Amino acid sequence: MVQPRSLLFTTALAVALSSPFVVAGPVQKDGIAVPPNMAGNRDAVKQIFMDSYEAYKQDAWGHDDLAPLSKGFVDSRNGWGATIVDGMSTMSIMGLDNYLGDAIKFASQIDFSKSKTSDSVSVFETTIRYIGGLLSTYELSGRKHPELVDKAKEVADKLAIAWVGDNDIPFGHINFGNNAPDKQNSNIAEAGTLTLEWATLSKYTGDDKYRNLAEKAFRRIATNPSPLPGLPAQGIDPNTGSPVGGYVTWGGGSDSYFEYLIKYARLNNTGEALWADTWKLAVDSSIQTLLKKSTVGDHSYLTDYDSEKRNVYVSSHLACFHGGNWLLGGQLLRNQTVVDVALQLVDACWNTYASTATGIGPEAFAFASVDGNYTAGSAPTPEQQAFYELHGFYPTTGAEYYILRPEVLESNFYAWRVTGDAKYLDRAASAVSSFQKYLKAPVAYAGIQNVNDVNSGKFNDMESFWFAEVLKYLYLTFDDPSHISLDEWVFNTEAHPFQIPPAKGAYGTPSGQTPPSPSQQHPFTPTQAPIPAYSQSPTLPGILHIPEGIIRSVATGILNIIGFQL
Ligand SMILES: *[C@@H]1O[C@H](CO)[C@@H](O)[C@H](O)[C@H]1NC(C)=O
Ligand SMILES: *[C@@H]1O[C@H](CO)[C@@H](O)[C@H](O)[C@H]1NC(C)=O
Ligand SMILES: *[C@@H]1O[C@H](CO)[C@@H](O)[C@H](O)[C@H]1NC(C)=O
C-alpha cells in the first residue's frame, strides 16, 4: 500500500519538469525517529485512553459523554453515543481492537432518524464528530465495514435539509423532529467545515450530491466580499449567503473554515486553484495585518480584527490550531516564510502552557504589542498585568479554564513531524505528565476551571474530543512517524484522518499570480444587519462572538459551573 519514497520522488520530479508550478513539498521531514527514551510516553497515553474509556463504559455507555465527577453521563450531542463514534479512529490507531469491535457494532445500530435529546441538531458538530468518525474508521479498517458508510449517509441525508431550496449556505441547526432548519444566522466555521467529510461521503456512495452541497457553501464564503483579503467576516446569513458583521478571527466561529481551505485542496487533489489560493491569501493577509509580537517575550500572535477595523489583541486555545495548519500549507506550497511564522505561532501557543502552575494553557488570553493593546474587554487587573510582565500574555477574566481541548498539542504534533526537533517531544511529554497530575477525576479525567491553580475545581464533563483529538495527537507524537504520515492522511477538524493520494504537482496558481479576491474588487461594507443570533450566547471575556455550536459543545453543565446559561 505504501509507495516507496523513491517512486513518489520520481513522480514528483516528472511533474516538476513538465509544469511551471512549484512542486508540492513533502510535509514530514524524512528520516525522523522517536528516541527510545521518549517512546514510553506512547504507552502512557494509551493507558490514559483506556482508563478514560473504561470509566465511560462503566458509567455512561451509549450516552455522549462521561460525567467524571458524578460518575454519570452528559448528552450534549443528541444522545447518539458521541464518545464511541468519536473515539473509534483513535482506537483503531492505538490497536485497541476489542473496544473497536464493540464500537463498530454500536455505531452501525444508531438510529439517526431522531435526536434522543433536544430536537435541534448541529450540522457542523454532527458532521465533524459523527460523519467524520464513521468514514475515517471505515478507511482505517481497510474499508471492511460498509455499514459505517451507510450510517454516515443516513445522518447526512437528514442534515442536507440545511440547504433549503437553493441556498448556498446551510443553516447551522436542523430540527430533526419536524425536519425544518432553524433559520438563524450561522458562521463561516459552521458552514465552511463540511467539505472533507461530505466529499469523502460522495466518494464512497458514488453520489456527488454531498460534495456539491459542501463545496457550494465553501465556494460562497471564499468568493464573498470580505473585510480583509482572504479573511471573511465570522458571521454569515444562510438566507442570503451574505456576510454578517465584520469580525475577523482565527478563533472559534471562523477557525476551521481556514483550516479546510488547504486541507480540502490536498484531499481533493485536483487542479482547482481557488482553495489553495484563498488559503494563501488568508495567510498573507494575516501576516500583514494580524501578526503582532508581544512587548514582553517577543511572542508572535495573530490578533482578531473588529468591524471598526481595529486589531483586538486577544487569542485563544481554539485559535492555536493555526501553527499546525500553517506548517501543513507552508510545506505543501514550499513557502519557508509561512513555515517560519508557523513555528513562531507554535512556540507562542506552547508558552501559554509552559507559563502556568499546571503546565496547561487557558481557554483565552490577551497580550500587548508596541502598536496597541486593545482587547475589547476591561483593562488587565494588577494580577493579570503582573502575569503579563512575566509571560508575555495573560489569561482573560472568566477564560482561565481548560476543557480538554487539543489545538496546542495538535500544532505541537505537526511541528514535531515537520521539523524532527526533539523539543516538541519534550513539550508533549510535559503535557502528559501535567494531565496525569492535574486532570485526574474520581473516575477518568476532567477539565479544570483555572489552569494557574494546582488545586483547581474541575468540570463534570469529559468531552468526546478528549478521545478523538487530544489523546490521538499525543499518541501519534510518540509513535513511529510513518504511522499516519501527514503525507498520506489529512485530519478533519476533529482529528479523524482521511486517506489522501500522493501530492500532485502544485496547489493553487504559481506564486505572484493569485487572482485578486472579490474583496479587492468590491470593497467590503459591514452590514447593519440584525445582530447575529450567536452574540446572545455567552460572551466569555476575551473570546468574543463565539456561537453556541462553536464552543464545541461546552456542555450545559460546564456553563452552569462557570455561571453562564446557554
Ligand atoms: C474533487 O472535486 C471535483 C470537483 O468538485 C470532483 O469532480 C472530484 O471528484 C473531487 N475529487 C475528490 C477525490 O474528492
Ligand atoms: C511565501 O509567503 C509569503 C507570506 O504570505 C509571501 O509574501 C511570499 O510571496 C510567498 N513566497 C512565494 C515564493 O510564494
Ligand atoms: C496598554 O496601553 C496603555 C496605554 O498605552 C497602558 O497604560 C497599559 O499599561 C497597557 N497595558 C498592557 C497590558 O501593556
Side-chain angles (χ1 to χ4, degrees):
M1 293 274 292
V2 180
Q3 284 210 37
R5 229 160 235 288
S6 58
L7 181 55
L8 280 178
F9 183 72
T10 315
T11 316
L13 197 64
V15 176
L17 295 174
S18 66
S19 123
F21 297 150
V22 182
V23 184
V27 177
Q28 291 200 175
K29 189 178 168 81
D30 213 359
I32 61 173
V34 177
N37 69 328
M38 277 287 162
N41 285 296
R42 196 187 71 154
D43 295 332
V45 175
K46 188 169 171 178
Q47 192 61 51
I48 294 175
F49 186 102
M50 293 192 294
D51 292 344
S52 301
Y53 198 69
E54 285 295 336
Y56 166 81
K57 278 177 38 176
Q58 175 80 32
D59 294 320
W61 176 258
H63 293 281
D64 288 334
D65 306 341
L66 171 74
L69 307 187
S70 59
K71 305 190 192 178
F73 58 83
V74 179
D75 277 321
S76 54
R77 297 267 65 86
N78 306 101
W80 290 320
T83 288
I84 300 173
V85 182
D86 223 8
M88 288 194 303
S89 67
T90 308
M91 294 170 199
S92 173
I93 285 170
M94 291 182 174
L96 293 167
D97 294 339
N98 289 341
Y99 291 163
L100 182 62
D102 290 346
I104 290 176
K105 225 172 282 163
F106 176 91
S108 62
Q109 286 160 14
I110 298 171
D111 177 4
F112 281 118
S113 70
K114 47 188 177 299
S115 169
K116 286 195 174 172
T117 56
S118 78
D119 283 334
S120 177
V121 178
S122 160
V123 176
F124 163 80
E125 295 283 357
T126 306
T127 293
I128 66 171
R129 301 193 203 209
Y130 289 109
I131 299 180
L134 290 163
L135 295 177
S136 175
T137 305
Y138 173 65
E139 292 192 338
L140 288 163
S141 72
R143 305 185 189 177
K144 279 207 290 275
H145 294 280
E147 64 272 26
L148 299 176
V149 177
D150 295 343
K151 280 291 149 186
K153 179 178 176 333
E154 181 183 319
V155 70
D157 283 337
K158 285 281 275 192
L159 296 177
I161 300 161
W163 287 265
V164 286
D166 214 17
N167 56 331
D168 290 339
I169 301 295
F171 288 96
H173 292 79
I174 315 283
N175 181 318
F176 266 28
N178 62 9
N179 287 340
D182 174 0
K183 295 199 168 182
Q184 295 189 40
N185 283 327
S186 186
N187 59 68
I188 61 169
E190 285 186 341
T193 312
L194 309 170
T195 45
L196 295 185
E197 299 82 357
W198 289 58
T200 301
L201 183 59
S202 281
K203 177 168 154 188
Y204 293 120
T205 57
D207 185 344
D208 289 344
K209 156 177 111 180
Y210 309 105
R211 187 187 57 246
N212 290 341
L213 286 172
E215 268 196 14
K216 181 163 79 161
F218 207 37
R219 199 179 299 281
R220 179 63 189 256
I221 301 167
T223 57
N224 263 348
S226 60
L228 291 167
L231 296 171
Q234 185 183 50
I236 193 158
D237 180 359
N239 292 290
T240 61
S242 300
V244 174
Y247 199 81
V248 169
T249 178
W250 280 77
S254 296
D255 44 11
S256 42
Y257 159 73
F258 299 117
E259 177 185 351
Y260 273 28
L261 284 168
I262 193 65
K263 287 184 169 180
Y264 188 61
R266 181 65 184 86
L267 179 94
N268 182 276
N269 227 22
T270 66
E272 177 156 20
L274 178 66
W275 317 124
D277 280 353
T278 308
W279 185 84
K280 257 199 289 193
L281 196 61
V283 167
D284 198 64
S285 208
S286 298
I287 290 175
Q288 283 181 37
T289 309
L290 308 182
L291 182 65
K292 302 288 176 189
K293 295 235 179 198
S294 57
T295 51
V296 172
D298 206 32
H299 301 294
S300 296
Y301 304 101
L302 299 184
T303 65
D304 286 358
Y305 188 80
D306 71 11
S307 49
E308 263 104 81
K309 303 189 184 302
R310 281 177 298 202
N311 289 87
V312 189
Y313 293 78
V314 296
S315 187
S316 62
H317 203 291
L318 284 171
C320 281
F321 83 96
H322 49 26
N325 186 247
W326 288 29
L327 284 172
L328 174 67
Q331 289 289 88
L332 283 173
L333 304 177
R334 287 191 190 271
N335 187 313
Q336 194 59 38
T337 308
V338 173
V339 169
D340 290 343
V341 176
L343 291 172
Q344 291 167 20
L345 294 172
V346 170
D347 280 347
C349 286
W350 176 254
N351 179 56
T352 69
Y353 274 52
S355 302
T356 69
T358 59
I360 301 170
E363 175 72 5
F365 46 92
F367 48 91
S369 90
V370 285
D371 61 359
N373 65 17
Y374 173 70
T375 64
S378 42
T381 62
E383 291 74 27
Q384 286 170 325
Q385 188 68 39
F387 191 98
Y388 177 76
E389 300 301 338
L390 285 174
H391 302 296
F393 77 97
Y394 60 89
T396 36
T397 307
E400 300 91 349
Y401 58 90
Y402 172 69
I403 53 163
L404 312 179
R405 289 200 194 283
E407 295 78 15
V408 173
L409 295 168
E410 169 183 349
S411 286
N412 187 69
F413 161 71
Y414 280 85
W416 156 246
R417 289 283 185 95
V418 165
T419 66
D421 187 333
K423 79 178 177 191
Y424 302 111
L425 299 177
D426 293 337
R427 291 174 180 182
S430 148
V432 171
S433 113
S434 288
F435 289 171
Q436 288 166 331
K437 269 202 209 109
Y438 301 115
L439 303 185
K440 278 241 172 78
V443 290
Y445 292 77
I448 50 178
Q449 292 168 38
N450 185 349
V451 292
N452 208 30
D453 175 0
V454 295
N455 298 310
S456 170
K458 295 193 169 74
F459 292 123
N460 196 18
D461 186 0
M462 184 175 61
E463 277 272 6
S464 67
F465 47 66
W466 173 246
F467 296 98
E469 303 191 69
V470 177
L471 298 178
K472 184 186 288 118
Y473 285 127
L474 274 176
Y475 180 87
L476 286 174
T477 302
F478 296 112
D479 200 7
D480 176 351
S482 68
H483 188 204
I484 315 292
S485 159
L486 292 168
D487 291 296
E488 292 162 11
W489 300 83
V490 64
F491 290 87
N492 90 334
T493 194
E494 190 76 0
H496 297 302
F498 290 130
Q499 242 161 353
I500 45 178
K504 76 180 192 71
Y507 298 95
T509 47
S511 130
Q513 293 180 30
T514 306
S517 78
S519 56
Q520 290 160 317
Q521 292 157 5
H522 314 286
F524 176 81
T525 29
T527 54
Q528 299 301 316
I531 297 169
Y534 51 76
S535 66
Q536 290 154 13
S537 61
T539 302
L540 304 176
I543 29 171
L544 298 168
H545 305 276
I546 294 193
E548 177 186 344
I550 297 305
I551 291 186
R552 303 241 166 135
S553 86
V554 177
T556 317
I558 293 183
L559 288 167
N560 287 340
I561 294 170
I562 53 176
F564 292 99
Q565 204 73 50
L566 270 182

